[in-house]
Amino acid sequence: MNILILGSGGREHSLAWAIKQNPKCDRLIVAPGNAGIAAIAECADIDILDGDIVAQFAVENAVDFVVIGPEAPLAAGVADRCRAAGLLVFGPSQAAAELESSKSFTKTICDAADAPTAAYARFTQAEPARAYIRTHGAPIVVKADGLAAGKGVIVAMTDAEALAAIDDMFGGEFGKAGAEVVIEEFMEGEEASFFVLVDGTTLLTLGTAQDHKRVGDGDTGPNTGGMGAYSPAPVMTEAVTNKALTEIIAPTMAEMVRRGTPFQGILFAGLMIKDGQPRLVEYNVRFGDPECQTLMMRLGGQVLDLLQACAEGRLADITVHWADDHAISVVMAAQGYPGSYAKGSEIKGLEALPEDSMNMVFHAGTREVDGRITANGGRVLGVTARGATLAEARDRAYQMVDAIDWPEGFCRRDIGWRAL
Ligand code: AMP
Ligand code: GLY
């Protein structure tokens, strides 16, 4: 089977690493990829936001299966374009990707499905939004409707912060994404990431994880794309998992079918759990990054069979084989991230690290320059390990972190603290 993965982050490196282990994988191409991915797959420098280019490339290269990693190509309709060209694709249509690309749309679906989520109101003008904030008061959450690379959500602890967010969003800080704003009740509780494969009608629970969004130890400092994750998430007990499936995910997926836009791909539900009751924070229509790295470390080569069954509408016939294990991924980022940071510093010591079923350094933002690995993004490496316990996985991961010689980088030292 010839497989094309779209994307260039740690998520896609881990997907490539797991898929490559499956004997059905003959040829693996990742577009555009990164320096780590280039060590295990062919990389192709094409514009992955252009569906025509992707479809043409896939046909010319006799690709049998296209796996779409990030949200941007999904929101741009690349899956639809590839399907129209007769390709087998893992990832939702543009219409179903609205579950991530429009927060307002997701609220409408949750209303129709009666799924537990934060109370909210939506606005296209600043003055009524300000009035709503004054009436309801902080803490309160202000969200740009559209995709804003994880930066469009302001969890305001004071009215002043919330009002400033309104000024920024209607002032054009997020462009079109901020033309509509959703203001939400602040939900308390513990967050978890829940991953469910959906082939339109059948749901298959893939796994759970917990991310660490804040940049600093002890969950301090600004929000990031995620500084580390572990799987499974102990807060996702069987009871909470069943509630999330029956009260939130199944009814919203049924509503998508009812509307004629069934969802096919991986549904990533961000949940807030309090007193055993999950509520939806948001949907994403792709794997989380770095949550994916921990899931791939635990699932290995069977991932290809799962993604293929999902794309072919055969989830009812397949099961996920879990080991009783734990995985953790520690993100190493360039100093300054999530603010401005420098690119180009050299990362040494990677070649001496183990790469096996227990240890793997996934590359997120790297570039090879004259045989050296250099930093080429904010989040640069996902140092990932597996173990019989979370503590064992954590110790392995930080052992690798400590062996990496990269003074221009940093990481959180407390990934997994909640579960440990
Ligand atoms: P989102 O992009 O919607 O996942 O939001 C980013 C982060 O903001 C989430 O992971 C939560 O930590 C936080 N957040 C979003 N909405 C709420 C809410 N209604 N209540 C509390 N925290 C929230
Ligand atoms: N780690 C959170 C995300 O991928 O959205």
Side-chain angles (χ1 to χ4, degrees):
M1 201 175 191
N2 297 336
I3 298 161
L4 170 65
I5 301 176
L6 302 186
S8 62
R11 169 180 47 214
E12 288 77 23
H13 190 185
S14 70
L15 283 167
W17 174 83
I19 285 174
K20 185 92 197 270
Q21 292 170 34
N22 190 303
K24 283 198 293 194
C25 177
D26 290 312
R27 183 173 174 209
L28 183 60
I29 312 173
V30 183
N34 63 38
I37 294 171
I40 60 167
E42 297 169 50
C43 289
D45 195 11
I46 58 169
D47 179 4
I48 63 164
L49 295 181
D50 186 323
D52 288 329
I53 289 178
V54 173
Q56 191 189 346
F57 176 86
V59 170
E60 279 172 6
N61 285 276
V63 166
D64 302 296
F65 188 28
V66 182
V67 176
I68 305 183
E71 63 276 18
L74 294 167
V78 171
D80 309 69
R81 187 64 201 82
C82 288
R83 280 195 193 99
L87 293 155
L88 182 68
V89 183
F90 177 79
S93 66
Q94 185 173 35
E98 265 211 89
L99 285 171
E100 175 163 0
S101 65
S102 168
K103 303 208 185 275
S104 175
F105 175 80
T106 295
K107 286 298 193 186
T108 302
I109 297 291
C110 284
D111 284 347
D114 207 15
T117 181
Y120 74 101
R122 57 182 125 224
F123 300 93
T124 50
Q125 285 185 323
E127 204 37 58
R130 289 193 193 102
Y132 184 89
I133 288 167
R134 289 192 197 98
T135 309
H136 289 263
I140 198 161
V141 182
V142 180
K143 300 185 175 186
D145 175 61
L147 292 180
K151 300 193 182 88
V153 175
I154 309 295
V155 180
M157 299 318 280
T158 63
D159 286 14
E161 264 177 275
L163 294 167
I166 294 297
D167 291 343
D168 289 345
M169 286 181 194
F170 287 116
E173 182 164 329
F174 300 105
K176 256 191 359 208
E180 183 169 343
V181 168
V182 172
I183 305 183
E184 272 186 14
E185 164 202 1
F186 172 78
M187 294 188 285
E188 277 176 43
E190 188 171 344
E191 277 189 86
S193 305
F194 186 31
F195 295 90
V196 182
L197 286 169
V198 185
D199 66 5
T201 48
T202 301
L203 313 187
L204 181 66
T205 299
L206 191 65
T208 64
Q210 206 155 33
D211 190 10
H212 299 65
K213 298 235 186 227
R214 303 284 186 144
V215 74
D217 282 12
D219 287 337
T220 53
N223 262 319
T224 68
M227 293 301 293
Y230 58 93
S231 171
V235 69
M236 291 298 292
T237 59
E238 204 178 314
V240 172
T241 302
N242 285 335
K243 263 181 185 281
L245 273 175
T246 56
E247 295 177 13
I248 302 174
I249 310 218
T252 50
M253 291 298 95
E255 174 63 16
M256 295 301 283
V257 171
R258 201 190 61 74
R259 289 171 163 249
T261 53
F263 182 90
Q264 184 263 80
I266 182 82
L267 187 69
F268 161 6
L271 302 173
M272 188 71 81
I273 298 129
K274 191 169 179 235
D275 304 328
Q277 177 64 48
R279 290 207 280 168
L280 184 74
V281 177
E282 62 160 359
Y283 278 132
N284 296 297
V285 299
R286 36 104 193 150
F287 281 105
D289 187 340
E291 290 97 323
C292 187
Q293 289 84 319
T294 62
L295 294 173
M296 294 307 121
M297 198 79 201
R298 296 183 60 211
L299 289 164
Q302 66 179 308
V303 161
L304 175 58
D305 303 312
L306 294 167
L307 302 193
Q308 188 188 353
C310 183
E312 290 174 348
R314 291 188 291 104
L315 280 184
D317 308 334
I318 197 155
T319 44
V320 184
H321 300 287
W322 277 115
D324 189 13
D325 59 359
H326 298 257
I328 195 164
S329 186
V330 177
V331 170
M332 296 188 79
Q335 277 175 26
Y337 175 81
S340 60
Y341 52 82
K343 288 185 182 178
S345 55
E346 185 180 353
I347 305 163
K348 293 189 207 145
L350 293 174
E351 59 294 332
L353 295 178
E355 286 194 354
D356 52 35
S357 65
M358 289 294 185
N359 303 273
M360 187 63 206
V361 176
F362 294 116
H363 291 220
T366 59
R367 198 159 85 93
E368 194 186 318
V369 180
D370 302 329
R372 294 181 321 221
I373 301 294
T374 64
N376 192 42
R379 293 190 295 170
V380 174
L381 299 172
V383 182
T384 309
R386 202 160 66 86
T389 64
L390 182 58
E392 194 186 306
R394 188 256 332 253
D395 292 348
R396 277 206 181 98
Y398 279 110
Q399 233 171 15
M400 287 192 280
V401 165
D402 291 336
I404 293 171
D405 177 9
W406 182 36
E408 294 84 359
F410 75 98
C411 69
R412 275 181 66 161
R413 298 294 314 189
D414 65 344
I415 300 305
W417 68 271
R418 237 180 231 282
L420 291 161

